[in-house]
Amino acid sequence: MEYTQLGRTGLKVGRIVLGTMNFGPRTDESDSHAIMDAALDAGINLFDTANVYGWGENKGRTEEIIGTWFAKGGERRDKVVLATKLFGHMGPDGPVWPNHDRLSALNIRRAVDASLKRLRTDHIDLYQFHHVDRRTPWDEIWQAVDVLIQQGKILYVGSSNHAGWHIAQANEAARRRGALGLVSEQCHYNLVERRAEMEVIPAAQAYGLGVIPWSPLGGGLLGGVLRKERDGTSASGRSAEALANTTVRDRIQSYEDLLDKHGLEPGEVALAWLLSRPGITGPIVGPRTADQLSSALRAVELRLSDDLLSALDDIFPGPGQAPEAFAW
């Protein structure tokens, strides 16, 4: 496994990040434990989760599964850089009781203690804001974070789904307090969805944040969806909705045709493309099975030629340069 620095921290993390969203809802506890063991054996050390994973009435279940895995010992916890997230409320779906969601100091305090209990650990290495909270001032958020760091409950803080200006606003507020601020950003980024190149990734690079793309296969679009369709497996969910758009379908067909000529697997190329992009720490993969994890690991060893990268740009053109590039 290749390793890289997580932003401007001293943390060394693997170029593939283990996402755990499927643990509980789609992968049972035993298989989830087996996948985590296989990931650790392969050198993957950054495990990403969130307090709401498990969803619905089972919110928190994914953290619990990770916690029972840590409890098996074998230095599992010591070898893992543990990342979790907060924002959404943890009660039943429906109206939210005040101060039980978002990023108020009160909810941050409640959420971190609850996650620590489920995860069966005394600290979280990377505590991430799952979404932007437009109601809570950054000074309040950083004050709460300062306390948690002093207590030893968290080490670093990251963001998820933040715009470029949110990253700037957050880190300028932290700078005024003499704090480290955000060290990473999880953003929606893949060959199909490249808008993060406009401002999110440049902002992250300017402030020294590691970038951790989520949905690297575009909700399944980049995983050989049309090939599977020909084999009798219909697309579902977001993939099916996207493929109803003729332009999207044509691009995915061109993508798969291109990779067929090179004898390459679509999902592995999609991950390898992300690993080739500047500023990227590593994409989050959410394997439901050990085979899916093995496929993701092969992407780390895959080197894409300049000609292939150019052809991919032709199929999935990026958004172009950031607006600042057009200044006189």
Side-chain angles (χ1 to χ4, degrees):
M1 172 61 64
E2 295 180 1
Y3 291 89
T4 188
Q5 206 90 356
L6 179 64
R8 64 190 188 282
T9 75
L11 293 175
K12 286 285 190 179
V13 296
R15 296 301 311 277
I16 292 292
V17 179
L18 181 68
T20 62
M21 184 183 294
N22 289 313
F23 295 174
R26 305 183 71 177
T27 307
D28 65 23
E29 183 168 330
S30 176
D31 288 344
S32 299
H33 285 190
I35 290 172
M36 286 187 279
D37 280 332
L40 202 59
D41 288 344
I44 295 175
N45 67 335
L46 178 52
F47 287 17
D48 177 74
T49 191
N51 59 357
V52 294
Y53 289 173
W55 311 111
E57 297 179 354
N58 295 310
K59 292 174 184 174
R61 177 60 182 148
T62 303
E63 286 188 333
E64 290 175 349
I65 289 174
I66 296 171
T68 58
W69 182 73
F70 284 149
K72 289 183 174 182
E75 299 183 330
R76 285 173 169 83
R77 177 64 187 94
D78 292 338
K79 294 176 181 177
V80 166
V81 176
L82 176 62
T84 192
K85 300 184 281 290
L86 84 151
F87 185 87
H89 71 96
M90 294 297 291
D93 291 340
V96 183
W97 188 254
N99 305 313
H100 280 70
D101 66 348
R102 297 181 175 270
L103 302 179
S104 70
L106 179 55
N107 191 52
I108 289 175
R109 176 177 176 176
R110 285 174 172 155
V112 73
D113 285 342
S115 284
L116 289 171
K117 183 177 180 180
R118 287 188 293 268
L119 290 163
R120 302 195 191 188
T121 187
D122 63 355
H123 74 283
I124 294 162
D125 300 307
L126 179 61
Y127 201 45
Q128 302 161 110
F129 307 134
H130 209 158
H131 297 282
V132 179
D133 186 351
R134 295 173 177 82
R135 304 176 188 174
T136 305
W138 279 107
D139 282 338
E140 176 181 344
I141 294 169
W142 288 129
Q143 183 180 50
V145 166
D146 289 344
V147 172
L148 294 178
I149 291 174
Q150 291 165 6
Q151 292 174 335
K153 293 181 179 180
I154 65 173
L155 300 183
Y156 301 98
V157 177
S159 57
S160 179
N161 303 307
H162 282 46
W165 73 272
H166 293 134
I167 292 170
Q169 188 181 49
N171 274 22
E172 289 302 326
R175 180 179 294 173
R176 291 193 296 270
R177 301 177 60 85
L180 185 61
L182 301 173
V183 303
S184 63
E185 160 63 14
Q186 280 192 30
C187 59
H188 189 196
Y189 184 41
N190 53 58
L191 272 166
V192 177
E193 176 50 77
R194 295 181 59 172
R195 284 177 293 179
E197 294 174 5
M198 285 289 285
E199 295 191 11
V200 175
I201 292 174
Q205 290 179 295
Y207 282 96
L209 275 65
V211 177
I212 306 171
W214 61 266
S215 193
L217 302 188
L221 286 174
L222 298 167
V225 64
L226 297 182
R227 179 190 299 176
K228 294 173 184 176
E229 188 177 83
R230 290 193 298 271
D231 292 339
T233 303
S234 298
S236 60
R238 286 184 297 164
S239 293
E241 293 177 9
L243 288 174
N245 182 308
T246 302
T247 300
V248 172
R249 190 178 188 90
D250 288 347
R251 286 180 174 176
I252 297 300
Q253 186 66 68
S254 297
Y255 174 68
E256 294 189 17
D257 289 345
L258 172 68
L259 301 187
D260 283 343
K261 292 178 183 178
H262 290 269
L264 296 171
E265 290 295 322
E268 294 171 18
V269 169
L271 293 174
W273 179 82
L274 281 170
L275 290 170
S276 76
R277 304 300 297 168
I280 300 302
T281 299
I284 300 174
V285 300
R288 298 189 304 275
T289 66
D291 286 344
Q292 290 178 346
L293 176 63
S294 297
S295 176
L297 290 169
R298 288 193 292 272
V300 179
E301 308 299 328
L302 184 59
R303 296 293 179 268
L304 306 181
S305 69
D306 290 342
D307 287 345
L308 182 55
L309 289 170
S310 178
L312 292 173
D313 279 336
D314 289 340
I315 297 170
F316 302 109
Q321 294 175 301
E324 65 182 18
F326 304 121
W328 288 99

